[in-house]
């Protein structure tokens, strides 16, 4: 087999976010209120992982549906500027959008329009040539890439996915959880069930590693063959926190960066924590990512405290 052309193929998850900055994450009384300037950003989970990997110097391919609309053109222009290798199929349903409320402490709540119909699928003739040239594929949980898993298995390509705020039961997310080698999710909806859900993913599926990110509380990592998840602390941001949009995707990209270099799991977790903290220091979704220099420097400064706080 020829050497893969791409370190990472990201399948699905391109869109545009509108960021609305608010004092707190609730609707005030009355029928209107003033807010700071509202901006649109190229965004969504596949975009974040792809740009994060690309910024870290990994050879990255990104594929998805995209509308022939203003948002789609905005995305194409952004990728042309950054040099991200992107191929798309034009969708009659348009480009997915989200509206994210971001409060004064950088926390966010997202309204995602999910406009692609449930039966939409990336054609095999479109994705297979890219998959055959990739070492690893990251599967966004957008539905229209579901049919790729059979080819992923037959080709022996490793895979990852991010289940976001999965409740541990939703079958849509479970489909991806049981078929991926590396599984990420947020602990937000399973806080008192984190250990149980991580074990269920390992026991029922093919995952080698499952990671539950937990914001300022760090992350929980369960490795196949180990009985207890490890808890890793968060890394204190080295610049003021203004927006948590994209922090999870930055974590995933940096964790993958170290994981695909066969580094220890503790080093992967440190990379993810550093990249996630760095992303919180820029306004907007996926506006800035840690590059290798930032990852290495901040990682060295945080290493002693980070590893000293690891617990089973």
């Amino acid at each position: 087999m020829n050497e893969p052309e791409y370190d990472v193929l990201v399948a699905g998850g391109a869109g545009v976010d509108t960021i609305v900055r608010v004092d707190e994450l609730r609707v005030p009384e009355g029928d209107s209120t003033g807010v700071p300037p509202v901006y649109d950003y190229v965004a969504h989970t596949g975009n974040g992982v792809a740009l994060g990997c690309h910024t870290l110097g990994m050879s990255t391919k990104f594929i998805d549906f995209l509308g022939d609309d203003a948002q789609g053109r905005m995305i194409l222009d952004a990728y042309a500027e950054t040099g991200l290798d992107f191929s798309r199929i034009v969708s009659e349903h348009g480009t997915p959008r989200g509206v994210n409320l971001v409060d004064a402490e950088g926390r966010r709540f997202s309204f995602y329009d999910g406009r692609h119909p449930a039966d939409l699928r990336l054609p095999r003739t479109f994705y297979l040539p890219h998959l055959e040239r990739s070492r690893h594929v990251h599967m966004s949980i957008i539905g229209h890439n579901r049919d790729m898993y059979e080819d992923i298995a037959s080709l022996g390509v490793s895979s990852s996915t991010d289940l976001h705020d999965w409740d541990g039961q939703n079958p849509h997310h479970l489909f991806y959880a049981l078929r991926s080698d590396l599984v990420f999710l947020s602990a937000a909806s399973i806080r008192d069930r984190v250990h149980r859900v991580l074990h269920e993913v390992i026991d029922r599926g093919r995952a080698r590693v499952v990671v539950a990110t937990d914001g300022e509380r760090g992350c929980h990592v369960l490795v196949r063959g180990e009985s207890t998840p490890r808890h890793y602390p968060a890394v204190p941001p080295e610049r003021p926190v203004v927006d948590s949009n994209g922090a999870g995707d930055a974590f995933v990209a940096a964790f993958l960066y170290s994981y695909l270099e066969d580094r220890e799991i503790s080093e992967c977790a440190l990379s993810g924590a550093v990249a996630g903290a760095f992303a919180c220091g820029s306004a907007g979704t996926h506006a800035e990512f840690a590059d290798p220099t930032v990852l290495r420097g901040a990682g060295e400064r945080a290493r002693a405290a980070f590893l000293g706080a690891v617990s089973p």
Side-chain angles (χ1 to χ4, degrees):
M1 182 176 178
N2 294 331
E3 189 71 19
E5 179 178 350
Y6 302 115
D7 295 316
V8 176
L9 167 67
V10 179
V16 169
D17 275 351
T18 298
I19 304 298
V20 182
R21 305 198 70 86
V22 295
D23 292 332
E24 53 185 330
L25 298 181
R26 69 175 184 86
V27 177
E29 295 182 2
D31 60 4
S32 67
T33 187
V35 296
V38 175
Y39 294 106
D40 291 338
Y41 295 88
V42 175
H44 296 186
T45 182
N47 168 80
V49 175
L51 282 176
C53 291
H54 176 70
T55 304
L56 286 167
M58 305 175 75
S59 176
T60 306
K61 179 71 179 183
F62 186 20
I63 60 174
D64 201 5
F65 286 102
L66 206 65
D68 182 16
D69 49 26
Q71 290 73 35
R73 290 186 288 276
M74 177 182 177
I75 291 170
L76 293 177
D77 289 345
Y79 294 163
E81 182 176 345
T82 60
L84 177 63
D85 189 346
F86 178 69
S87 296
R88 87 285 190 187
I89 293 178
V90 175
S91 170
E92 63 180 309
H93 307 287
T95 301
R97 301 198 63 177
V99 175
N100 295 354
L101 305 184
V102 180
D103 72 10
E105 296 181 7
R107 294 172 300 195
R108 67 92 186 254
F109 188 89
S110 179
F111 299 89
Y112 173 62
D113 73 9
R115 66 181 62 207
H116 291 312
D119 60 352
L120 186 68
R121 294 291 184 273
L122 287 171
R124 188 171 188 262
T125 54
F126 171 71
Y127 73 71
L128 187 59
H130 304 303
L131 184 60
E132 290 174 331
R133 296 152 64 192
S134 302
R135 175 186 174 198
H136 180 88
V137 56
H138 181 77
M139 300 285 283
S140 302
I141 57 167
I142 36 65
H144 54 255
N145 58 10
R146 290 169 61 99
D147 294 350
M148 292 177 61
Y149 274 111
E150 184 174 344
D151 286 308
I152 291 170
S154 65
L155 291 171
V157 177
S158 64
S159 62
S160 57
T161 193
D162 185 353
L163 310 177
H164 302 284
D165 58 345
W166 183 39
D167 62 4
Q169 298 176 330
N170 188 307
H172 173 82
H173 302 67
L174 183 64
F175 177 89
Y176 289 86
L178 300 185
R179 290 164 175 80
S180 300
D181 299 298
L182 181 55
V183 176
F184 298 90
L185 67 151
S186 166
S189 296
I190 57 166
R191 194 160 310 284
D192 60 343
R193 296 179 288 128
V194 169
H195 287 200
R196 189 174 80 201
V197 171
L198 297 190
H199 272 290
E200 287 177 352
V201 172
I202 290 279
D203 295 343
R204 297 179 60 187
R206 59 173 292 143
R208 304 169 193 167
V209 181
V210 186
V211 182
T213 57
D214 202 8
E216 67 273 13
R217 289 171 287 275
C219 68
H220 309 269
V221 181
L222 180 62
V223 177
R224 181 173 290 277
E226 297 185 357
S227 59
T228 305
R230 312 175 199 178
H231 176 260
Y232 295 93
V235 169
E238 295 188 338
R239 52 187 187 167
V241 173
V242 296
D243 195 335
S244 64
N245 279 294
D249 297 326
F251 181 104
V252 169
F255 194 105
L256 282 176
Y257 172 74
S258 293
Y259 184 81
L260 293 175
E261 288 193 344
D262 295 321
R263 297 184 185 177
E264 295 290 332
I265 290 298
S266 59
E267 289 295 323
C268 299
L270 175 59
S271 294
V274 166
F278 180 82
C280 292
S282 59
T285 307
H286 306 147
E288 191 177 3
F289 290 91
D291 62 19
T293 300
V294 169
L295 202 63
R296 183 169 53 253
E300 286 303 318
R301 289 188 290 273
R303 184 182 306 279
F306 181 86
L307 297 179
V310 173
S311 62

